Amino acid sequence: MMCLRHLHAFWIRTSVSVFIPPECPPMGLETLKIDDFQLHASTMRRYSLGAHRGRLNIQAGIYEDEFYEGAWCAGRNDPLQWFEVDARRLTKFTGVITQGRSSLWSSDWVTSYRVLVSNDSHTWVTMKNGTQDMIFRGNVEKEIPVLNEFPVPAVARYIRVNPRSWFSGGSVCMRVEILGCPMPDPNNYYHRRNEITTTDNLDFRHHGYKEMRQLMKIVNEMCPNITRIYNIGKSHNGLKLYAFEISDNPGEHELGEPEFRYTAGSHGNEVLGRELLLLLMQFMCQEYLSGNPRVRRLVEETRIHLLPSINPDGYEVAFEAGSELGGWSLGRWSQDGLDIHHNFPDLNSILWEAEAKKLSPRKVLNHHVPIPEWYQSKNVAMETRALITWMEKIPFVLGGNLQGGELVVTFPFDKTRSVDKTREPTPTPDDHVFRWLAFSYASTHRLMTDASRRVCHTVDFAKEDGTANGASWHTAAGSMNDFSYLHTNCFELSVFVGCDKFPHESELPHEWENNRESLLVFMEQVHRGIKGVVRDSQGRGIANAVISVEGINHDIRTVSDGDYWRLLNPGEYKVTAKAEGYVPSSKVCEVGYEMGATRCDFVIARSNLSRIREIMEKYRKQPVNLSGRPSLRHPRRNHRVLLPHKGASLHPGTPEPLVGTVHTGDTHQMTRTVVPFNSRPAFL
């Protein structure tokens, strides 16, 4: 370790640069740990290209004249320009990572640069290679990050990057991350005020595929009575898609108990969500064993499924490159080049077209929209097919998919209804419920709703309470959220958990503290609304019954045992249960503000028509012989079917006579018949 005053002499004596592993993590330009006021520059082309935009992996908007652009760009193209970071305390600097400018229209990057350090921002020392200034190799294109580690760490407060050459067809523009370790300084109030620590004893590190599987196994062995590991399928490269279940009866769907899911890693390079779910399963197990009443209640009243890595193939690609060095997209797609999160059937278009033609709900229902045949021949990722099978098999009520690169919770619809719009608010019939669900996560996150926090890239979501309708941000057809809402009972939201897609390992405790409460609160929302069982008059559960709420044009269905869950905000609702062959039943159900779904059960009776159809099928449309003696009638006149008139009743126990028309098999004979109640066949 050297102080600044010894550094220059050492560089004079050193003639060869020696590569050593990085000693220090990123300081936090990408994660926003470094504030805007700590960044300075010699000049800037305009404010939207100022020093505050010179952060690694920062993304630009579509147009060049937007307020937020994708790099620091100097006001002049000459070797006197510089980009500066004030660490606000003595720091051991060990390296620099650079990128070019994020832009659809320009090609700008720095090809070489010098590095200078200072303790007072007035006197600067240039890093040397012997007696010569050390020139570091920059970028050869604008997106792939390039790491340069210093042969000897430098201890100082300020560091500058001085571009010496740049792409001939572009300008002096760069995005930067600095590697550095803060030196111990108990008197530094600024650092202590912003320091976040965690008391949870968890495994805070990045986990490759085998390490992830091993960690899941360890947690399962710690809590064998409440956990289960299973897989939902395989990736393109044959890696199993492991899920982790947490429940007091693992492997079983319990009557009246809702099912919840968290998924992560549909984009393989967005790894924070993956690690948060691995931390969550450890936390839930430890807290359950320690008797935490909140966690115990969640485990005993909810069946929880955690799927930490939807795209393990993509993750392995990003993991191999390492934190900070994968750029914005390396490992994002599946092995066969598909965006898994947007690889689902576009059911929005099917429903909206039917509504426009007034075919809904007569021919196309407002829920459980079937997957079209053309989708089966489409280029669909193996991971997507596995997800669809999983979503259809388990009656999920609420789900959150964890993503990265932003700080916001988005909710359906993700596709704009207007085909010519790239962004447009497109709410679902359950918009108020979705807004509450999104706010429940965002409001309990440490940063999402902080109005003073810095924008990750181009949109200030904090102004919208950290939430957004997906289509109002950018349109995306075939999203997991829209598919889940239109094809299943599950309300699905996307949770973007951090500006940095692949944060350094040292940031994981901090990110866990940011998200821990939100992860728990969002799971608890599965118990908001109404729940119940739809049964027939014999007490048997009716599967596939439709639950409709007056004023909300979206229904859900009961599952195999007749139980259902319907997410609703507090209020009074007229709810109707109906099923094929049964008489619909309605009642008013009240949802309170306290946590816990309101019980709203239904008993529905068989309809007259369905009972007649059952009788006809049972007796193969033959006459009912009450005496048990064989009929001597002509076969053509042997077909006697009682069809009820409007208003007639077949309900058991109803004393009124049954009035109907008897068809005798002779197409020319029809008689109106009154059957007294006491002479009806037993099966009626």
Side-chain angles (χ1 to χ4, degrees), residues 616 619-624 638-640:
M616 293 173 67
Y619 292 91
R620 299 179 182 177
K621 300 184 180 180
Q622 296 299 312
V624 179
N638 206 24
H639 181 52
R640 302 176 63 84

Side-chain angles (χ1 to χ4, degrees), residues 245-271:
E245 180 186 341
I246 305 175
S247 169
D248 57 347
N249 286 293
E252 296 180 21
H253 170 73
E254 298 181 68
L255 185 71
E257 185 169 286
E259 310 234 9
F260 175 92
R261 68 169 179 251
Y262 270 132
T263 60
S266 58
H267 301 142
N269 62 332
E270 297 171 8
V271 308

Side-chain angles (χ1 to χ4, degrees), residues 30-101:
E30 182 176 5
T31 62
L32 308 185
K33 199 172 181 180
I34 297 294
D35 289 323
D36 282 353
F37 64 78
Q38 294 177 255
L39 305 177
H40 309 278
S42 52
T43 60
M44 61 183 177
R45 186 181 304 176
R46 51 182 173 267
Y47 178 76
S48 57
L49 292 168
H52 64 292
R53 301 296 295 174
R55 300 171 180 270
L56 191 74
N57 282 321
I58 203 165
Q59 299 298 296
I62 296 177
Y63 304 107
E64 293 297 321
D65 58 350
E66 287 194 353
F67 191 69
Y68 304 107
E69 296 193 61
W72 161 67
C73 288
R76 299 185 301 274
N77 292 332
D78 63 48
L80 300 178
Q81 305 306 307
W82 46 262
F83 177 86
E84 177 184 309
V85 179
D86 176 7
R88 295 190 62 84
R89 62 181 296 173
L90 284 178
T91 300
K92 181 175 72 171
F93 298 115
T94 62
V96 174
I97 304 173
T98 60
Q99 268 177 317
R101 176 183 176 184

Side-chain angles (χ1 to χ4, degrees), residues 332-552:
R332 174 184 175 89
W333 296 281
S334 66
Q335 187 64 30
D336 44 353
L338 299 172
D339 185 333
I340 295 173
H341 186 71
H342 300 110
N343 191 219
F344 290 83
D346 176 13
L347 304 183
N348 305 58
S349 298
I350 296 173
L351 177 62
W352 294 340
E353 182 179 352
E355 289 177 344
K357 295 179 179 179
K358 302 189 183 304
L359 299 177
S360 178
R362 184 167 49 88
K363 289 190 175 181
V364 177
L365 299 177
N366 65 11
H367 66 289
H368 284 236
V369 180
I371 297 174
E373 292 184 6
W374 59 260
Y375 180 76
Q376 306 304 329
S377 59
K378 183 183 174 183
N379 189 15
V380 181
M382 291 181 61
E383 297 87 346
T384 308
R385 294 189 187 278
L387 280 172
I388 291 175
T389 302
W390 186 52
M391 294 162 72
E392 292 176 333
K393 180 180 179 181
I394 298 177
F396 294 112
V397 179
L398 177 62
N401 54 82
L402 307 188
Q403 302 193 43
E406 257 300 349
L407 271 174
V408 65
V409 183
T410 66
F411 50 89
F413 287 119
D414 288 334
K415 180 181 177 179
T416 58
R417 190 154 189 159
S418 302
V419 294
D420 59 335
K421 298 287 184 65
T422 59
R423 59 179 69 176
E424 174 188 56
T426 309
T428 68
D430 284 287
D431 190 56
H432 292 297
V433 178
F434 273 115
R435 288 182 180 277
W436 167 257
L437 294 171
F439 185 70
S440 71
Y441 194 103
S443 62
T444 50
H445 188 279
R446 290 189 61 258
L447 296 175
M448 279 190 189
T449 56
D450 183 358
S452 64
R453 75 169 175 87
R454 192 196 177 283
V455 172
C456 285
H457 300 286
T458 63
V459 183
D460 188 357
F461 289 113
K463 291 181 178 179
E464 303 296 329
D465 292 324
T467 68
N469 171 253
S472 68
W473 182 14
H474 56 76
T475 187
S479 75
M480 183 176 180
N481 297 351
D482 289 3
F483 173 80
S484 181
Y485 181 69
L486 294 177
H487 186 67
T488 74
N489 288 343
C490 184
F491 287 31
E492 180 89 7
L493 295 84
S494 290
V495 183
F496 292 80
V497 291
C499 300
D500 189 350
K501 290 185 175 184
F502 198 150
H504 189 270
E505 209 166 75
S506 62
E507 293 294 320
L508 294 180
H510 173 81
E511 294 295 352
W512 169 246
E513 288 297 316
N514 285 345
N515 288 277
R516 178 184 58 192
E517 179 65 14
S518 302
L519 290 166
L520 296 174
V521 167
F522 189 73
M523 281 193 289
E524 291 170 336
Q525 302 314 303
V526 77
H527 296 283
R528 181 174 297 280
I530 60 175
K531 66 177 181 180
V533 182
V534 179
R535 296 184 173 92
D536 63 17
S537 54
Q538 280 72 47
R540 296 169 299 197
I542 301 174
N544 217 31
V546 176
I547 304 297
S548 303
V549 179
E550 187 175 69
I552 301 178

